């Protein structure tokens, strides 16, 4: 007997037909005598609609009321799934964040889970009742208000609940059947990864692979919660129920410890992010304090700077500084730099959002030299110019012109032996 948390995303609960299919997935686990908590998202498109209504009501709005509105989508799906389960003879009860409660901090719109009081749920699961929990939302206890965890936050609700319940696994059901070596829409020969380490998944998630919310991966990593990504569109009866301790059916992708991955490659995946923008500050003085004058005001304005390149100055006096920010932060960035022109001292600012960041990721890089050299050479041979580079222990990212994104991803996918044979 295992404790299982099953999370279903928006496309998996898009209509009543899909919700019935979700209920069959739940029934499979209940029939195997597992204890089941389900976390649901809002029906596909509903949260977008709610956000749009809030903005239409007023572009500037109270964050607590934003949360009151956008948290409502999950309430609908939780209730509907409980009704369908009950109609199948399965005892089930819906739970909203405040009813459990799932306690969060006060950062409305992007709240963090602080604690989950799971005793009541545990007792009910043990009696065979399915708990259907609203994803994405919690309760901010000081003001006693509903909070939400940021877009895609249901993944984080699921992992946090799995940790609180001491679950054997957190199964994330989505519309793809796992995590791929890269986006299969760009590279048809992309392969499903049977396993991926927490560290690699974290890089994938933060570098643009939208399968899991980044925070959910952080949480799973810290608590070593085994998390599986699988498709809710698979025939529910074709899947084996979870059994604690036994072998796993070769389905989906298991996010787990590095040590549990037997056949690991040097590079596990290629990610790309389109929402980057490049800013170049021309002719700044090449002297101490200039970088601080540039990046200090940006940090104060809460703008995240990603890649930074400073050119060598030919004359030892002036240089150019290039960096990237999220494309949505570009207007604010330009404004901050304009206001700080006096302190920084520059001749001109150039910017472009027509860039993408392509990254190769793999824990194997820790023990293999030469990955970067190989990558740069392959890109050069295709005539792709590198605008900026950043690296970490397990990843190398390059910024290139957007026009070359697909060519670069395909080239690197083949280069590192990731194509399906
Ligand atoms: N419904 C929320 C969203 O669309 C949360 C989620 O689905 O994870 O962002
Ligand atoms: Mg999602």
């Amino acid at each position: 007997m295992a404790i299982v948390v099953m999370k279903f995303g928006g496309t998996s609960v898009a209509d009543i037909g899909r919700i019935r299919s979700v209920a069959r997935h739940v029934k499979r686990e209940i029939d195997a005598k597992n204890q089941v908590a389900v976390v649901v998202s809002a029906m596909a498109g509903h949260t977008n609609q709610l956000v749009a209504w809030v903005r239409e009501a007023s572009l500037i709005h109270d964050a607590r009321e934003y949360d009151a509105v956008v948290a409502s989508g999950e309430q609908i799906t939780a209730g509907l799934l409980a009704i369908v389960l009950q109609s199948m003879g399965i005892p089930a009860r819906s739970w909203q964040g405040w009813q459990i409660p799932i306690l969060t901090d006060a950062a409305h719109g992007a709240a963090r889970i602080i604690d989950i009081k799971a005793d009541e749920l545990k007792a009910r699961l043990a009696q065979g009742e399915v708990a259907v929990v609203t994803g994405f939302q919690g309760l901010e206890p000081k003001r006693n208000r509903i909070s939400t965890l940021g877009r895609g936050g249901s993944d984080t609700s699921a992992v946090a609940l799995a940790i609180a319940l001491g679950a054997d696994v957190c199964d994330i059901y989505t519309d793809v059947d796992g995590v791929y070596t890269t986006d299969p829409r760009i590279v048809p020969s992309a392969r499903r990864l049977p396993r991926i380490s927490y560290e690699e998944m974290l890089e994938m998630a933060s570098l643009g692979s939208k399968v899991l919310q980044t925070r959910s991966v952080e949480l799973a990593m810290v608590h070593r919660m085994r998390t599986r990504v699988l498709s809710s569109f698979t025939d529910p009866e074709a899947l084996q129920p979870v059994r604690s301790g036994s072998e796993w059916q070769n389905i989906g992708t298991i996010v787990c410890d590095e040590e549990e991955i037997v056949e690991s490659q040097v590079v596990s995946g290629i990610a790309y992010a389109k929402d980057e923008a490049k800013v170049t500050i021309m002719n700044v003085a090449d002297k101490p304090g200039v970088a601080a004058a540039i990046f200090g005001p940006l940090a104060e304005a809460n703008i995240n700077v990603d890649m930074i390149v400073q050119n060598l100055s030919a004359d030892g006096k002036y240089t150019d500084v290039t960096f990237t920010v999220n494309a949505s932060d570009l207007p604010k960035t330009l404004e901050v730099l304009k206001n700080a022109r006096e302190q920084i001292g520059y001749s001109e600012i150039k910017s472009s959002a027509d860039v993408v960041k392509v990254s190769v990721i793999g824990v194997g890089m820790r023990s293999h030299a030469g990955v970067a050299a190989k990558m740069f050479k392959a890109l050069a041979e295709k005539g792709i110019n590198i605008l900026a580079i950043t690296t970490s222990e397990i990843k190398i990212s390059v910024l290139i012109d957007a026009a070359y994104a697909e060519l670069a991803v395909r080239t690197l996918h083949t280069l590192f032996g990731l194509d399906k044979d």
Side-chain angles (χ1 to χ4, degrees):
M1 208 178 67
I3 301 177
V4 187
V5 170
M6 309 171 78
K7 181 258 169 177
F8 294 90
T11 48
S12 304
V13 293
D15 53 42
I16 303 297
R18 295 295 318 146
I19 291 176
R20 286 197 203 288
S21 162
V22 164
R24 282 164 60 208
H25 282 287
V26 174
K27 182 173 189 306
R28 178 189 66 239
E29 301 300 329
I30 287 293
D31 287 349
K33 303 271 179 290
N34 285 333
Q35 297 183 27
V36 182
V38 185
V39 173
V40 287
S41 288
M43 289 169 156
H46 275 214
T47 310
N48 287 345
Q49 175 67 74
L50 295 169
V51 171
W53 278 335
V54 169
R55 294 213 176 117
E56 194 186 331
S58 172
L59 271 182
I60 297 171
H61 46 255
D62 185 309
R64 277 167 268 163
E65 298 312 332
Y66 167 93
D67 277 354
V69 176
V70 301
S72 65
E74 274 71 11
Q75 177 174 351
I76 296 172
T77 39
L80 289 172
L81 178 58
I83 290 171
V84 170
L85 287 167
Q86 289 168 359
S87 77
M88 293 161 70
I90 299 169
R93 189 56 64 201
S94 71
W95 297 84
Q96 292 190 61
W98 61 267
Q99 288 171 308
I100 295 178
I102 295 174
L103 301 176
T104 77
D105 65 15
H108 284 276
R112 275 181 185 272
I113 296 176
I114 307 288
D115 192 18
I116 299 182
K117 308 275 181 219
D119 289 346
E120 170 84 19
L121 283 198
K122 274 187 194 159
R124 293 198 183 214
L125 294 194
Q127 288 161 17
E129 186 174 289
V130 176
V132 186
V133 177
T134 51
F136 183 50
Q137 47 152 285
L139 173 75
E140 191 282 294
K142 282 201 199 86
R143 288 199 183 103
N144 195 28
R145 305 300 312 182
I146 292 171
S147 54
T148 65
L149 311 180
R151 298 306 305 271
S154 296
D155 297 332
T156 303
S157 308
V159 172
L161 187 64
I163 294 163
L165 293 171
D168 292 83
V169 65
C170 180
D171 274 345
I172 309 273
Y173 288 82
T174 172
D175 51 4
V176 291
D177 65 348
V179 179
Y180 276 69
T181 48
T182 195
D183 187 344
R185 286 168 303 185
I186 291 187
V187 184
S189 60
R191 281 184 292 121
R192 173 176 62 89
L193 291 160
R195 287 173 185 243
I196 186 171
S197 69
Y198 295 115
E199 287 79 0
E200 289 167 322
M201 191 63 223
L202 193 56
E203 293 286 3
M204 292 281 240
S206 55
L207 290 171
S209 149
K210 299 269 184 298
V211 187
L212 293 177
Q213 197 197 33
T214 307
R215 245 182 226 180
S216 71
V217 185
E218 280 168 7
L219 206 57
M221 181 163 93
V222 170
H223 295 269
R224 286 354 229 189
M225 173 50 65
R226 192 190 282 256
T227 303
R228 197 162 56 148
V229 176
L230 60 180
S231 170
S232 71
F233 291 79
T234 308
D235 176 14
E237 286 77 36
L239 295 184
Q240 285 164 18
V242 172
R243 275 192 208 91
S244 50
S246 77
E247 270 304 297
W248 297 76
Q249 192 177 2
N250 180 12
I251 206 144
T253 298
I254 300 172
V255 189
C256 58
D257 265 323
E258 215 172 305
E259 291 74 45
E260 293 180 57
I261 303 171
V262 211
E263 318 150 51
S264 75
Q265 303 250 23
V266 177
V267 170
S268 308
I270 319 282
Y272 68 96
K274 287 186 182 157
D275 51 356
E276 298 270 315
K278 180 182 73 139
V279 178
T280 301
I281 308 182
M282 313 281 291
N283 291 306
V284 294
D286 193 10
K287 62 168 198 226
V290 169
I294 296 172
F295 297 111
L298 292 175
E300 269 161 44
N302 252 322
I303 295 167
N304 253 322
V305 174
D306 181 16
M307 311 170 115
I308 303 176
V309 193
Q310 179 175 338
N311 288 353
L312 271 182
S313 61
D315 55 4
K317 288 186 191 140
Y318 294 98
T319 180
D320 299 340
V321 175
T322 298
F323 60 88
T324 64
V325 293
N326 198 289
S328 63
D329 283 337
L330 183 58
K332 202 161 136 204
T333 303
L334 297 177
E335 196 191 301
V336 169
L337 294 175
K338 211 170 118 197
N339 294 337
R341 182 162 192 167
E342 286 280 290
Q343 301 94 285
I344 303 171
Y346 55 82
S347 66
E348 194 190 343
I349 289 182
K350 290 183 181 164
S351 69
S352 159
D354 266 345
V355 289
V356 295
K357 184 169 69 171
V358 176
S359 310
V360 304
I361 299 155
V363 285
M365 277 185 222
R366 286 201 195 110
S367 47
H368 283 79
V371 176
K374 206 172 152 186
M375 174 178 181
F376 301 156
K377 183 161 169 268
L379 294 174
E381 280 167 7
K382 297 283 180 190
I384 301 172
N385 190 30
I386 298 173
L387 308 170
I389 302 168
T390 49
T391 65
S392 80
E393 227 191 346
I394 67 161
K395 132 201 129 181
I396 303 160
S397 302
V398 295
L399 191 74
I400 60 172
D401 271 336
Y404 294 111
E406 299 194 3
L407 178 62
V409 172
R410 263 188 264 121
T411 302
L412 297 172
H413 198 265
T414 306
L415 178 71
F416 291 108
L418 297 175
D419 290 347
K420 164 163 74 186
D421 14 66

